[in-house]
Amino acid sequence: MCDLKLKLETERLLLICETYEAMCLSAENGDELAKDFCGAYRYHNALADEGKFKKEDLIWYRTWTYYDKSDNRVIGGGLFKGTPNDLGYVEIGYGICDNMQSCGYATEGSGRLIIWALNEMGVAGVIAETEKDNIASICVLEKLGFEKTHETDEFYYWLKCKL
């Protein structure tokens, strides 16, 4: 499953689950987030080779690139921050290129990723965290039906469960 190049679609977007090689190429080109996820993927792949981690769980360490279907332009991306926790929750992260923000792409792309995740075995819900001053991200999570569960001085924490 993890060697496949998975694709999801929305009305305007094509979401591609990047291969390990593509993530590492992004990391080599200075993408700090890709560097982190390339390292996490490599680490968990080594654990899988030792029988301490399931190969099929490596999907949760790959990044998803969002492409505009009209011109095949990269407009952002999303990811899950690891395998489901003990409660069956996976944490989502996402970002949209500065010049493409406020067009609904984060809601559309991340909404599709959330549907995919909630249909995977062992996933009971999706969680997220946002800085309290990140109004755009707060709006995305509210539009996607997340509920605020708690907060700290800096962050809000969110949950969307399976229906």
Side-chain angles (χ1 to χ4, degrees), residues 118-144:
L118 291 174
N119 284 307
E120 288 296 304
M121 293 294 294
V123 176
V126 178
I127 56 176
E129 73 174 15
T130 57
E131 292 179 338
K132 287 186 168 182
D133 63 353
N134 190 342
I135 304 303
S137 191
I138 291 167
C139 289
V140 167
L141 295 172
E142 289 175 341
K143 286 178 191 174
L144 291 172

Side-chain angles (χ1 to χ4, degrees), residues 17 42 50 58 63 68 72 86 91 94 113 120 123-124 126 135 142 154 157:
C17 184
R42 187 176 321 125
E50 295 174 18
L58 290 172
T63 57
D68 185 317
N72 206 35
D86 292 341
E91 184 175 356
Y94 50 85
L113 270 185
E120 288 296 304
V123 176
V126 178
I135 304 303
E142 289 175 341
E154 292 181 59
Y157 295 87

Side-chain angles (χ1 to χ4, degrees), residues 8-131:
L8 301 173
E9 287 192 55
T10 69
E11 182 179 330
R12 300 181 295 165
L13 300 175
L14 179 63
L15 286 63
I16 304 289
C17 184
E18 298 298 343
T19 64
Y20 169 72
E21 291 78 16
M23 290 189 310
C24 288
L25 183 60
S26 293
E28 289 168 12
N29 289 325
D31 184 329
E32 291 301 316
L33 187 60
K35 210 174 282 185
D36 291 345
F37 275 82
C38 181
Y41 188 94
R42 187 176 321 125
Y43 172 73
H44 287 89
N45 191 40
L47 291 178
D49 287 344
E50 295 174 18
K52 298 176 183 174
F53 192 84
K54 293 186 263 175
K55 284 275 188 193
E56 57 268 20
D57 286 341
L58 290 172
I59 192 68
W60 300 107
Y61 293 91
R62 287 171 52 181
T63 57
W64 293 78
T65 303
Y66 301 174
Y67 293 88
D68 185 317
K69 290 192 322 191
S70 68
D71 60 8
N72 206 35
R73 174 177 37 155
V74 173
I75 58 97
L79 51 85
F80 294 99
K81 299 179 181 180
T83 57
N85 66 20
D86 292 341
L87 298 173
Y89 299 157
V90 291
E91 184 175 356
I92 192 168
Y94 50 85
I96 302 298
C97 299
D98 289 345
N99 62 335
M100 301 303 294
Q101 292 179 359
S102 301
C103 298
Y105 290 122
T107 303
E108 187 175 336
S110 300
R112 182 64 185 96
L113 270 185
I114 289 162
I115 291 168
W116 175 82
L118 291 174
N119 284 307
E120 288 296 304
M121 293 294 294
V123 176
V126 178
I127 56 176
E129 73 174 15
T130 57
E131 292 179 338

